[in-house]
Amino acid sequence: MSHLMQLFEAVRFPGGVEVHTDGINSATMTLDGNEYGSLRLFPLAPGVVLSFNRIYTQVWPLAQTEAANILLLNFCLNGRCEVNLDNGQFAFLSQGIMALGTQQVTEPYRYPSSVYEGVELFLDLDTLEQEPYCLFLEAGIDLATLIRHFQAAQKLYLAQAPAAIQGILSDLWALRDTEDVGRMKLNSARLLLELGRQPYVPHPRIRYFTLSQVTIAKEVRSILLADLSQNHTARGLANRFQIGETSLKNYFRGVFGENLSVWLREARMRRALFTPMPGTRSSIS
């Protein structure tokens, strides 16, 4: 097992995480069975791991690992992922957003909407320096140049994934349930090659939030879920937190990706769908 794949061993995670080897080419990580989704991991080469992420819970545990010199590329295809930045602010990866950086993650991964699907590429820079990957060499992929180009050593780079990148991601995602490692290798190299051709966007259109703003949005959600039959108003909730109504709506949409009114209507519909009528027995086991 490569050093990079060792970072995904079950013993490095809190209870509930299991890692099943699917053969010599892949492994699958699950949390409390398959109920909360999975990470399907493919070691493409020494120092290169591709992960197909399908997560259906709000929190995914963080591995207890030693410091590692890893370049991580994260591409969101569906759902939302909370990103805790070094400056105390928060950003949210949503559909079509990519993240690139070398910073170590220190908190468990959080998914406010309990849905996240995406592709991650882990690149162990020390291993690849000692044992260069021939496919990267032949394609002219220079990871050090890529990091400098996007200033990814100083901070996490977040931006909208260009159409060319999204097309390659679609090709990769189509392989998530296969064992076609050859095409995974080729598409991963295509992804890095195309990424190096993209311009650096110094001020991408990404909305950032403070801890207090994220906390307010989550507390509003908890208040509403505690009793969905109550008719809370946005103004009343805003007054509770001593902020403006528009600010509260912006915080909620920024964290959960939906307007407050739309989220509340759908939450009530889900409750009605799974709540048995009086005098009937629930069919939910």
Side-chain angles (χ1 to χ4, degrees):
M1 180 180 293
S2 69
H3 170 72
L4 190 56
M5 281 299 290
Q6 288 176 7
L7 300 182
F8 300 100
E9 290 178 327
V11 294
R12 296 180 180 269
F13 291 84
V17 171
E18 296 182 354
V19 180
H20 308 276
T21 301
D22 302 330
I24 62 173
N25 291 327
S26 66
T28 300
M29 179 185 296
T30 60
L31 175 63
D32 295 326
N34 294 319
E35 180 180 357
Y36 299 116
S38 65
L39 309 184
R40 194 156 188 237
L41 305 158
F42 289 86
L44 303 184
V48 182
V49 171
L50 175 68
S51 177
F52 295 107
N53 300 347
R54 286 176 279 196
I55 296 171
Y56 309 113
T57 183
Q58 286 199 325
V59 180
W60 193 272
L62 179 69
Q64 303 300 313
T65 66
E66 67 278 4
N69 187 20
I70 293 173
L71 172 62
L72 174 61
L73 293 87
N74 194 337
F75 303 89
C76 177
L77 301 174
N78 183 35
R80 297 176 75 74
C81 176
E82 179 180 299
V83 180
N84 189 348
L85 303 173
D86 292 341
N87 60 5
Q89 291 186 311
F90 292 79
F92 292 85
L93 265 68
S94 56
Q95 184 175 359
I97 301 296
M98 63 180 186
L100 184 153
T102 58
Q103 291 74 22
Q104 292 289 304
V105 177
T106 58
E107 299 289 338
Y109 297 97
R110 299 186 184 279
Y111 308 93
S113 59
S114 299
V115 174
Y116 185 80
E117 296 176 336
V119 173
E120 282 186 293
L121 196 58
F122 297 83
L123 302 165
D124 187 327
L125 299 175
D126 292 336
T127 297
L128 288 168
E129 183 178 6
Q130 296 169 8
E131 189 177 346
Y133 183 24
C134 61
L135 183 58
F136 288 180
L137 291 176
E138 292 175 4
I141 296 168
D142 187 334
L143 297 180
T145 300
L146 191 69
I147 293 170
R148 285 195 301 271
H149 177 59
F150 290 106
Q151 300 183 16
Q154 292 79 30
K155 60 182 179 180
L156 187 70
Y157 178 74
L158 294 167
Q160 183 74 33
I165 296 292
Q166 294 194 37
I168 299 171
L169 287 171
S170 295
D171 292 341
L172 260 178
W173 187 248
L175 303 172
R176 63 192 181 278
D177 291 320
T178 74
E179 298 289 338
D180 196 343
V181 176
R183 282 204 292 166
M184 291 178 197
K185 291 179 178 181
L186 289 174
N187 283 315
S188 295
R190 285 178 60 210
L191 187 64
L192 291 170
L193 194 61
E194 186 60 42
L195 191 60
R197 295 170 177 161
Q198 301 302 317
Y200 170 73
V201 181
H203 302 291
R205 298 177 63 181
I206 303 293
R207 182 78 187 273
Y208 297 93
F209 297 88
T210 65
L211 175 59
S212 63
Q213 292 168 341
V214 173
T215 300
I216 287 172
K218 292 180 178 180
E219 289 187 8
V220 166
R221 179 180 183 274
S222 296
I223 291 169
L224 295 173
L225 285 176
D227 188 352
L228 287 169
S229 65
Q230 286 199 33
N231 291 319
H232 293 283
T233 65
R235 178 174 297 179
L237 291 167
N239 289 339
R240 182 181 299 203
F241 294 100
Q242 299 181 330
I243 60 174
E245 182 178 341
T246 300
S247 294
L248 180 132
K249 291 179 178 178
N250 287 338
Y251 300 167
F252 193 92
R253 179 175 176 80
V255 172
F256 296 105
E258 290 183 296
N259 289 330
L260 177 57
S261 58
V262 173
W263 178 90
L264 184 56
R265 181 172 66 249
E266 292 181 350
R268 285 171 171 163
M269 289 174 62
R270 286 193 296 270
R271 183 194 63 174
L273 180 64
F274 292 104
T275 300
M277 296 293 290
T280 65
R281 295 182 63 184
S282 171
S283 60
I284 307 296
S285 59

